[in-house]
């Protein structure tokens, strides 16, 4: 079968949707070698993350052709690409990042699947601009309606699709995402020491990984420091935003500016060392579609603390700790438990690694291919 993919994010995005897109392509390369993949990318000059190993001999990377496609690449992606899908005789098209070509139904011989990662812009509109909210709402809703099936990255996201878009439950399958294989392997002591010296890291620290924006809620960690009896430091790794200044201002006002170290632009290959050296990992996000950093922590054997209210319990499992995302004292108490209770730490590490096995490639590939089979074998309503 010829399977087409909206591969813009796989080609251009370093994190988030890009990681998911590349993960799916890697999964299928390994577990569906008999199929041919067509990767539709809007710009041949912007594909820094489309690794060669994702493209096999019989696969094809497809770019806009003709004056219109090359001049209006965004329009090609949302509508013009459908002509290419028809031309290439694609049997199944998978929109990996929340959307499909708006006119996908013109490709009458092509079944379609869209992956919806989250609908946070509807649940927490204050985190998004007016224009972004309306663009996302139109594209995501239309993709859910026009697709033959929908993949949700968590049960939480599935519930939101049903609630906000009134999509029938039976049209949606939950297929989780795994994390990169590098987080599953022990980092050598030499590598850890190299990273520790490079960034002047303390012998003990609490780790946070994620964009430093208001929804991710790093300010809660800063506030929790005022309740912590242990003078442990926090290492926060993530892209700086205006919200970073808000966190730094709070720390300065409380005389805690030396208790949090901000790092950004960390090479992806160094992240496992940070996780494996950390005493505990915190991810108090107000709302997530899934929560890959928690899964990375579990694979690294790091006790993980998440927040209640979204899907983080799905990523972190029953033996991680969860706190109210608006209660800094509760977060401080959870951190202290991971620092002082050795029996709890041991249980969190062992059970965490055990729970993480359900996100290995083989079970996830089975779930994904089941959705593909279900889509191709179901009658079309076109």
């Amino acid at each position: 079968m010829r399977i087409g993919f909206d591969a813009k994010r796989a080609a251009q995005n370093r994190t988030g949707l890009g990681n998911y897109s590349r993960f799916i392509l890697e999964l299928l390369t390994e577990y569906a070698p008999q199929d041919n993949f067509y990767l539709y990318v809007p710009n041949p000059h912007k594909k820094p993350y489309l690794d060669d190993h994702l493209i096999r001999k019989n696969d094809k990377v497809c770019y806009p052709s003709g004056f219109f496609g090359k001049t209006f690449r965004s329009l090609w992606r949302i509508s013009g690409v459908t002509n290419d899908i028809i031309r290439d005789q694609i049997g199944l098209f998978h929109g990996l990042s929340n959307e499909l070509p708006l006119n996908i139904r013109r490709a009458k011989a092509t079944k379609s699947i869209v992956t919806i990662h989250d609908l946070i812009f509807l649940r927490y509109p204050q985190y998004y601009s007016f224009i972004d909210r309306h663009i996302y709402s139109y594209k995501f809703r239309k993709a859910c309606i026009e697709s033959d099936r929908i993949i949700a990255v968590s049960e939480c996201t599935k519930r939101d699709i049903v609630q906000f878009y009134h999509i029938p439950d039976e049209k949606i399958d939950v297929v989780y995402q795994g994390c990169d294989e590098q987080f599953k392997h022990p980092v050598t002591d030499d590598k850890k020491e190299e990273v520790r010296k490079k960034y002047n890291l303390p012998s003990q620290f609490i780790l946070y990984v994620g964009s430093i924006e208001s929804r991710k809620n790093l300010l809660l960690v800063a506030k929790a420091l005022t309740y912590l009896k242990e003078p442990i430091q926090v290492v926060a790794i993530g892209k700086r935003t205006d919200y970073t200044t808000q966190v730094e201002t709070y720390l300065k006002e409380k005389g805690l500016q030396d208790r949090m170290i901000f790092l950004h632009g960390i090479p992806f290959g160094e992240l496992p060392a940070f996780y494996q050296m950390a005493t505990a990992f915190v991810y108090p996000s107000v709302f997530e579609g899934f929560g890959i950093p928690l899964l990375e922590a579990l694979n690294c054997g790091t006790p993980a603390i998440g927040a209640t209210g979204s899907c983080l319990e799905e990523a972190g499992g029953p033996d991680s700790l969860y706190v109210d995302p608006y209660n800094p004292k509760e977060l401080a108490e959870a951190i202290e438990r991971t620092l002082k209770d050795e029996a709890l730490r041991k249980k969190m590490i062992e059970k965490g690694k055990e729970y993480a096995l359900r996100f290995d490639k083989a079970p996830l590939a089975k779930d994904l291919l089941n959705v593909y089979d279900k889509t191709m074998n179901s009658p079309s309503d076109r």
Side-chain angles (χ1 to χ4, degrees), residues 261-281:
I261 301 167
F262 294 88
L263 300 172
H264 63 95
I266 300 298
F268 189 65
E270 291 182 348
L271 286 178
F274 279 91
Y275 276 106
Q276 292 179 32
M277 287 189 290
T279 308
F281 175 75

Side-chain angles (χ1 to χ4, degrees), residues 15-227:
T15 59
L17 297 178
N19 283 340
Y20 172 82
S21 298
R22 288 184 292 274
F23 177 80
I24 294 298
L25 293 173
E26 288 174 356
L27 210 61
L28 292 170
T29 296
E30 184 173 349
Y31 289 92
Q34 73 281 5
D35 294 320
N36 300 130
F37 306 146
Y38 283 63
L39 281 58
Y40 295 93
V41 177
N43 195 328
H45 307 296
K46 292 183 179 179
K47 51 172 187 173
Y49 305 112
L50 195 57
D51 301 328
D52 290 340
H53 75 277
L54 294 177
I55 306 163
R56 303 163 303 170
K57 182 180 179 181
N58 293 323
D59 296 337
K60 184 178 179 182
V61 182
C62 309
Y63 307 108
S65 60
F67 175 79
F68 176 85
K70 292 180 179 179
T71 306
F72 304 101
R73 298 185 187 279
S74 294
L75 291 178
W76 173 81
R77 178 171 175 251
I78 63 174
S79 63
V81 69
T82 301
N83 290 328
D84 297 349
I85 292 170
I86 296 169
R87 175 201 66 202
D88 296 331
Q89 298 180 327
I90 300 300
L92 176 66
F93 186 85
H94 188 170
L96 296 168
S97 51
N98 302 303
E99 55 187 295
L100 291 170
L102 299 180
N103 57 353
I104 187 63
R105 292 219 166 196
R106 280 189 55 242
K108 297 186 183 301
T110 304
K111 296 290 188 73
S112 63
I113 295 172
V114 64
T115 294
I116 300 295
H117 295 263
D118 63 71
L119 298 180
I120 301 172
F121 62 93
L122 293 176
R123 189 170 286 280
Y124 291 93
Q126 64 269 29
Y127 295 128
Y128 298 83
S129 70
F130 175 86
I131 293 176
D132 283 348
R133 290 200 311 270
H134 284 74
I135 290 174
Y136 295 160
S137 188
Y138 176 75
K139 285 185 175 181
F140 291 19
R141 180 191 294 273
K142 187 167 179 63
C144 287
I145 293 170
E146 299 294 329
S147 65
D148 290 288
R149 293 205 68 77
I150 300 166
I151 289 175
V153 300
S154 66
E155 292 289 348
C156 178
T157 295
K158 179 176 179 177
R159 289 192 296 271
D160 279 356
I161 295 169
V162 173
Q163 177 183 342
F164 287 108
Y165 291 156
H166 309 294
I167 300 294
D169 177 273
E170 59 271 17
K171 185 179 179 178
I172 309 167
D173 299 286
V174 174
V175 179
Y176 290 113
Q177 177 185 355
C179 69
D180 194 277
E181 291 294 307
Q182 69 170 349
F183 295 98
K184 302 176 184 181
H185 305 297
V187 177
T188 65
D189 290 340
D190 287 345
K191 179 64 176 180
K192 289 179 184 177
E193 191 58 29
E194 175 190 326
V195 171
R196 191 184 298 279
K197 288 181 178 178
K198 180 178 179 179
Y199 299 102
N200 194 27
L201 300 175
S203 58
Q204 283 194 319
F205 61 89
I206 304 299
L207 180 66
Y208 165 89
V209 177
S211 297
I212 303 176
E213 57 185 273
S214 55
R215 177 173 59 85
K216 302 289 188 178
N217 206 20
L218 185 61
L219 185 58
L220 186 79
V221 183
K223 291 178 178 179
L225 291 175
T226 64
Y227 295 98

Side-chain angles (χ1 to χ4, degrees), residues 184-338:
K184 302 176 184 181
H185 305 297
V187 177
T188 65
D189 290 340
D190 287 345
K191 179 64 176 180
K192 289 179 184 177
E193 191 58 29
E194 175 190 326
V195 171
R196 191 184 298 279
K197 288 181 178 178
K198 180 178 179 179
Y199 299 102
N200 194 27
L201 300 175
S203 58
Q204 283 194 319
F205 61 89
I206 304 299
L207 180 66
Y208 165 89
V209 177
S211 297
I212 303 176
E213 57 185 273
S214 55
R215 177 173 59 85
K216 302 289 188 178
N217 206 20
L218 185 61
L219 185 58
L220 186 79
V221 183
K223 291 178 178 179
L225 291 175
T226 64
Y227 295 98
L228 275 176
K229 298 173 185 177
E230 298 284 335
I232 194 165
Q233 288 180 286
V234 174
V235 175
I237 298 176
K239 180 181 178 182
R240 292 181 66 91
T241 65
D242 292 341
Y243 177 74
T244 312
T245 303
Q246 185 180 339
V247 178
E248 290 173 327
T249 299
Y250 176 86
L251 291 167
K252 188 174 182 179
E253 289 174 352
K254 299 296 182 180
L256 296 169
Q257 59 267 36
D258 295 331
R259 296 279 297 280
M260 191 174 288
I261 301 167
F262 294 88
L263 300 172
H264 63 95
I266 300 298
F268 189 65
E270 291 182 348
L271 286 178
F274 279 91
Y275 276 106
Q276 292 179 32
M277 287 189 290
T279 308
F281 175 75
V282 293
Y283 197 60
S285 180
V286 173
F287 203 90
E288 290 292 321
F290 181 53
I292 290 295
L294 276 175
L295 185 56
E296 292 171 348
L298 297 191
N299 277 292
C300 284
T302 308
I305 302 169
T308 57
S310 61
C311 65
L312 295 183
E313 291 96 333
E314 293 181 61
D319 294 288
S320 295
L321 301 181
Y322 303 94
V323 301
D324 184 329
Y326 303 103
N327 191 330
K329 187 175 181 181
E330 189 176 345
L331 175 58
E333 290 170 351
I335 291 172
E336 287 193 336
R337 289 180 65 195
T338 66

